[in-house]
Amino acid sequence: MRILLKNASRLMENGVLESCDVLIEEGKIKQIGESIENEAVDRLINCEGKLVTPGFIDVHIHLREPGGEHKETIKTGTKAAARGGFTTVCAMPNTNPVPDDVASITSLLEKIDQDALIRVIPYASITKGLKGEELTDLEELAKHNVFAFTDDGVGIQTAHAMYSAMKRAQAAGKAIVAHCEDNSIVYGGVVHHGDVSERLDLPGIPSISESVQIARDVLLAEATGCHYHVCHVSTKESVRVIRDAKKAGIHVTAEVTPHHLILNEDSITQDDGNWKMNPPLRSKADQEALLEGLLDGTIDFIATDHAPHSADEKAQGMLHAPFGIVGLETAFPLLYTNLVKRGKITLHQLIDWLTIKPAQVFHLPYGRLRENDIADVTLIDLSRETRIDKHTFYSKGKNTPFHNWNVTGIPVVTIYEGNIVYEEESYVKA
């Protein structure tokens, strides 16, 4: 399919918007130019007033399939991702069965090939059944198109297990991606241990439960030479540990979620399961440290931790609802509205943290808008305003604290490998 994007704006390295046309042919970006003739194209899209960017990359999402199809499926999750402007996502392994051997990974890859609307690269687990005990066959799994190894949702509790996993992952050329949480000091918490736990009389999760495990792991990463990546950083102490580790030359990278950048514990006003996430929303000081860490390069990029659950599950209140919120369909407009438009970050920085930065960290051949590259492209209406309505989500999960928030900057077209996989119904085409 030949697609011509006419009169788009692209963001240059100096942060200036420049008008351009983009010709897509045979799944590649054939040409980027000031004016491209529109002869013999299958589709001409008038992009006047729209920003063209590389397709977004999210290395941390939950698709729930197999085993949790009432929450999300590969089909619904990738449809939601495409709507949010994402063309590459990496699926976490807390499914049933867990992708912890070659047979389960092979089956999962077949299902992805059958149902995914965009590129899905699955993780394999570090331990069998995510139980934190027996390691998987990391060497064999690494040969089967797994993204990296993680027990996301569960912290690896013993240094021995993590040390062994890092040595084997490093030898196999894969990263260890860690949900950092020391269970011995979580104390059954459901929110941050601080003002919110006191206000709502709920058990709190101390910040140290996260940072103490990161501190352990960066030393193990130094000892093994393994690439160690920290999921959803949430505390100022964690930022400090990661910053110091990077200064010491340790191969550690990190991500932060949109919700931890935009919200803090003061945002929670009532006992509502839609505000329950892990790690929890921390203090204002933590929130500020996360943004500072992102700006100075301590934190490498943004990932959503899209975690869909059913409405019934989330209606149980903080004590009994599962952790997690959805994020694929709201990430860009929330970040653009609350950080770019308020002058806290630049548009160029935001695009980089959603595209080239995760690609560079994990050596992915995506995330750039260049001639001859794979045509993963997102078209965004930066001036368009709308109200987030969870009832219109493509995701099965409606669990968001951002329902009814007013936002600006809406992805209107998503192209994956040269094919239009999402197009907003109200978008007027030439």
Side-chain angles (χ1 to χ4, degrees), residues 362-426:
F362 288 101
H363 309 292
L364 298 172
Y366 317 116
R368 292 189 183 274
L369 194 69
R370 300 183 301 193
E371 291 182 354
N372 301 314
D373 277 3
I374 293 172
D376 291 350
V377 177
T378 297
L379 196 62
I380 304 164
D381 188 340
L382 292 178
S383 62
R384 164 89 182 279
E385 296 183 8
T386 192
R387 178 171 291 182
I388 293 172
D389 182 355
K390 65 182 182 181
H391 303 295
T392 67
F393 286 174
Y394 287 180
S395 171
K396 282 190 174 184
K398 317 301 179 188
N399 47 304
T400 177
F402 296 111
H403 180 58
N404 282 330
W405 280 45
N406 293 316
V407 290
T408 304
I410 312 300
V412 291
V413 175
T414 304
I415 298 171
Y416 164 63
E417 292 190 349
N419 295 303
I420 298 172
V421 290
Y422 170 73
E423 189 168 11
E424 189 179 65
E425 292 180 5
S426 61

Side-chain angles (χ1 to χ4, degrees), residues 89-353:
V89 295
C90 302
M92 289 296 177
N94 51 346
T95 53
N96 185 19
V98 174
D100 58 7
D101 58 25
V102 171
S104 57
I105 276 289
T106 300
S107 175
L108 178 58
L109 288 168
E110 289 173 354
K111 187 66 174 174
I112 288 168
D113 188 56
Q114 174 184 317
D115 286 350
L117 207 62
I118 59 168
R119 184 179 300 106
V120 178
I121 313 173
Y123 284 86
S125 63
I126 296 172
T127 65
K128 292 187 176 181
L130 301 177
K131 294 180 179 178
E133 299 167 358
E134 184 181 357
L135 296 186
T136 58
D137 189 343
L138 280 75
E139 296 83 0
E140 192 61 32
L141 285 165
K143 301 174 185 176
H144 288 79
N145 196 34
V146 299
F147 180 70
F149 295 100
T150 187
D151 274 13
D152 182 56
V154 188
I156 298 293
Q157 297 304 303
T158 71
H160 168 70
M162 183 59 92
Y163 181 55
S164 300
M166 284 186 178
K167 286 195 294 185
R168 292 172 60 182
Q170 195 278 333
K174 293 290 183 180
I176 289 290
V177 175
H179 172 112
C180 295
E181 188 172 31
D182 186 322
N183 290 345
S184 69
I185 47 177
V186 170
Y187 306 125
V190 295
V191 294
H192 174 58
H193 179 72
D195 290 344
V196 64
S197 60
E198 292 183 10
R199 276 192 288 111
L200 298 181
D201 192 25
L202 292 168
I205 303 173
S207 294
I208 197 69
S209 64
E210 174 181 291
S211 55
V212 72
Q213 203 164 81
I214 297 173
R216 177 201 73 181
D217 288 353
V218 294
L219 295 175
L220 297 177
E222 182 179 35
T224 60
C226 181
H227 174 196
Y228 171 68
H229 179 77
V230 185
C231 291
H232 43 48
V233 177
S234 73
T235 79
K236 59 183 184 294
E237 296 87 0
S238 299
V239 175
R240 185 176 74 234
V241 170
I242 295 165
R243 182 180 289 120
D244 289 346
K246 285 192 169 188
K247 287 178 181 176
I250 301 170
H251 191 181
V252 55
T253 57
E255 71 193 39
V256 65
T257 71
H259 46 277
H260 286 107
L261 290 170
I262 295 168
L263 303 169
N264 60 55
E265 63 174 343
D266 298 333
S267 308
I268 305 172
T269 58
Q270 58 183 331
D271 184 348
D272 179 349
N274 286 309
W275 291 90
K276 185 179 179 181
M277 56 203 74
N278 193 12
L281 298 176
R282 304 287 188 181
S283 70
K284 191 173 189 296
D286 291 309
Q287 179 189 21
E288 291 169 349
L290 296 175
L291 183 56
E292 181 184 347
L294 192 57
L295 288 167
D296 71 16
T298 300
I299 298 173
D300 296 85
F301 56 79
I302 298 170
T304 68
D305 191 11
H306 174 81
H309 295 289
S310 71
D312 288 345
E313 289 169 320
K314 275 298 192 177
Q316 298 177 90
M318 288 282 199
L319 283 176
H320 303 291
F323 290 101
I325 68 171
V326 292
L328 286 168
E329 294 171 79
T330 58
F332 184 86
L334 282 170
L335 292 163
Y336 180 71
T337 303
N338 292 280
L339 298 182
V340 176
K341 291 195 72 178
R342 294 182 182 179
K344 295 183 178 182
I345 65 173
T346 68
L347 178 59
H348 192 279
Q349 288 171 320
L350 176 56
I351 298 299
D352 277 0
W353 290 326

